[in-house]
Amino acid sequence: MQDAFSTIFPLQRGRVHDASGPGAPFFAAALAGMTGGTVLWIKPAWFAEEINPVAFSAFFDPRDIILARTADQTETLAAAEEGLRSGAVGLVVMEVDKPVELTPGRRLQLAAESGRSIGLSLHPEGAGNQAATTRWLCRPLFSASDSTLQEWSIIKNKTGTNNSWAVRWDETARRIHMVSETAERAGSQGPPG
């Protein structure tokens, strides 16, 4: 099972992927920490949540993030396409609130291929990029001893099968580790009553 996970995460370069669910920002931060290089994070200006680059310091150097605010989803996709095509950034994260149709999704894929960058769209559950190589559903798991415990499920995979993994972030190694089923069950039962 570990081998299957290590062949799919970190995500494939030169492709665009999707993530949704309450753990999607954590997924993006872990991906940024493992891929290295500069991260371009794009979100519409009207999204209420602000990004504090210092909050990413457990994952990567906050000086390696470029934050961009856009007027709408069309501008978000255009900025993401330029960032992917440039090859100047290792990861482009785009926050969207509506599905990405096939034509703009394909343009993003072509840009990622050209720039050898990774694209990641964060979107609400049920919406996504029709051209995405993989789609992930990311949720935190309760653990009294590990606040980084997550369940990541690949729910669309153009290059393989779907699967789910319990994972945790190792801040010292700056890596995601798959958690054994025994540890996951023990952590999800919560503190003794």
Side-chain angles (χ1 to χ4, degrees):
M1 180 93 75
Q2 175 67 37
D3 289 340
F5 183 72
S6 64
T7 62
I8 200 157
F9 193 89
L11 302 178
Q12 182 182 359
R13 285 196 172 279
R15 307 303 300 157
V16 177
H17 309 266
D18 281 359
S20 65
F26 181 96
F27 182 91
L31 178 61
M34 290 184 67
T35 56
T38 303
V39 177
L40 173 60
W41 195 300
I42 309 163
K43 67 188 305 173
W46 59 269
F47 276 26
E49 302 85 23
E50 292 290 329
I51 293 176
N52 177 356
V54 175
F56 290 116
S57 60
F59 300 95
F60 59 89
D61 188 334
R63 294 174 292 190
D64 290 337
I65 190 168
I66 300 168
L67 302 174
R69 305 281 282 194
T70 57
D72 55 28
Q73 184 154 312
T74 301
E75 196 173 288
T76 298
L77 297 176
E81 185 179 335
E82 289 301 314
L84 289 165
R85 183 170 280 110
S86 75
V89 294
L91 173 64
V92 174
V93 178
M94 63 202 99
E95 293 188 43
V96 297
D97 65 332
K98 298 180 287 229
V100 177
E101 299 300 325
L102 188 58
T103 299
R106 186 67 188 130
R107 289 178 59 92
L108 290 169
Q109 288 291 9
L110 292 171
E113 287 172 24
S114 175
R116 298 298 305 151
S117 297
I118 299 171
L120 179 64
S121 63
L122 304 183
H123 56 82
E125 285 186 51
N129 176 350
Q130 293 182 20
T133 300
T134 62
R135 179 166 299 137
W136 295 78
L137 180 58
C138 309
R139 296 192 167 122
L141 292 172
F142 174 78
S143 171
S145 61
D146 186 353
S147 65
T148 70
L149 193 61
Q150 299 270 315
E151 180 182 44
W152 291 353
S153 301
I154 186 166
I155 57 176
K156 173 187 173 185
N157 186 354
K158 288 186 175 180
T159 60
T161 59
N162 297 348
N163 210 332
S164 291
W165 298 272
V167 298
R168 69 173 186 80
W169 177 252
D170 181 334
E171 186 175 341
T172 304
R174 292 193 177 198
R175 299 202 59 75
I176 282 289
H177 293 287
M178 200 173 79
V179 177
S180 72
E181 290 181 29
T182 305
E184 177 187 353
R185 278 195 300 275
S188 64
Q189 292 177 10

